[in-house]
Amino acid sequence: MKSRKRFQVRCVLILILSLLLTACESGKSSEKKEEDKKKENVSEAGEVSKEAQAVIETMMTAPNPDLLFTPSVIGEGVEEDEDAVRKTQEKNDIVQERWEEEVGTYFAEGQLENFLSSGPALVYLLEAENDGLNIKVKEMTPGEKGEDKEQVIVRYEKGDQETETVLNFERDSDGKFIRVAEERDTSHT
């Protein structure tokens, strides 16, 4: 009987020790997971997001007439016939679709249109078109980054000179862009 009791006590002790070891290992692995997650966030903070990269590449690789809207000819003393208005609208619908394909998924609902009408989306494309310049991105460096914002310092080549600008991206709770603004560099004209 004594040996049976000893055996039971040993089994209970072994069970308790194995539970303690399992708990310690589990604690170590969750600490390691936490550390890995922190490291991952640090590397994410040290990189420009793929969404911001795509938007920057799209708006700053020029000339690209496929992404430029056709202006309508409206003004005093100008009468545009319905056929010309329809053709202009069709062309602009195609351009809008191209923007949607390129970067539309990165914007919150309705915000791509705001970016195209009042953001920096067309600045570089129009400048390249009007001045006959080539513009291309040389380097993107992350600036300040938070849960709902991201700053990117963009070094780019415009014609034969290099310059830089700062773009600020704001996101909604789903991670979609709601605003893209530029802090224009004085050397950029």
Side-chain angles (χ1 to χ4, degrees):
M1 276 259 207
K2 280 187 175 184
S3 68
R4 184 175 218 169
K5 245 185 178 177
R6 282 187 192 156
F7 179 73
Q8 288 176 341
V9 168
R10 285 183 183 160
C11 286
V12 168
L13 285 174
I14 290 172
L15 181 63
I16 290 171
L17 282 173
S18 65
L19 288 173
L20 284 172
L21 286 173
T22 303
C24 287
E25 285 301 313
S26 173
K28 284 181 184 175
S29 73
S30 31
E31 284 175 17
K32 184 163 175 53
K33 285 179 185 175
E34 251 338 280
E35 284 179 33
D36 290 346
K37 195 172 185 178
K38 284 179 184 174
K39 285 179 186 174
E40 189 176 290
N41 287 340
V42 166
S43 70
E44 285 177 6
E47 297 175 1
V48 176
S49 70
K50 70 177 173 79
E51 300 89 353
Q53 286 179 17
V55 170
I56 292 166
E57 288 288 344
T58 301
M59 67 183 254
M60 294 182 76
T61 302
N64 189 346
D66 292 340
L67 294 177
L68 282 176
F69 293 93
T70 303
S72 61
V73 182
I74 299 175
E76 195 174 317
V78 176
E79 287 189 35
E80 203 170 13
D81 65 40
E82 287 182 34
D83 191 42
V85 171
R86 185 182 49 75
K87 284 181 183 178
T88 299
Q89 186 58 48
E90 287 172 359
K91 287 178 185 176
N92 287 340
D93 288 345
I94 291 168
V95 171
Q96 181 72 32
E97 286 174 22
R98 288 182 185 134
W99 276 99
E100 287 286 343
E101 289 169 8
E102 293 289 326
V103 295
T105 58
Y106 304 131
F107 285 86
E109 189 173 330
Q111 297 308 309
L112 176 62
E113 292 77 12
N114 288 341
F115 172 62
L116 294 172
S117 65
S118 61
L122 302 174
V123 170
Y124 296 92
L125 296 170
L126 286 168
E127 186 173 18
E129 183 76 17
N130 293 336
D131 297 343
L133 295 171
N134 288 325
I135 299 175
K136 68 179 182 177
V137 175
K138 300 292 281 178
E139 181 182 11
M140 292 181 238
T141 307
E144 294 177 27
K145 192 170 187 175
E147 232 177 85
D148 60 349
K149 67 178 181 172
E150 178 177 4
Q151 186 179 68
V152 181
I153 301 142
V154 183
R155 178 165 291 291
Y156 63 97
E157 194 174 281
K158 179 175 72 170
D160 59 354
Q161 57 180 224
E162 266 191 38
T163 189
E164 71 179 37
T165 190
V166 177
L167 294 167
N168 294 299
F169 295 82
E170 292 180 29
R171 298 175 187 265
D172 65 8
S173 60
D174 295 326
K176 302 283 186 175
F177 294 133
I178 54 174
R179 185 170 180 263
V180 179
E182 180 178 23
E183 295 175 22
R184 294 208 68 182
D185 186 272
T186 55
S187 65
H188 178 16
T189 53

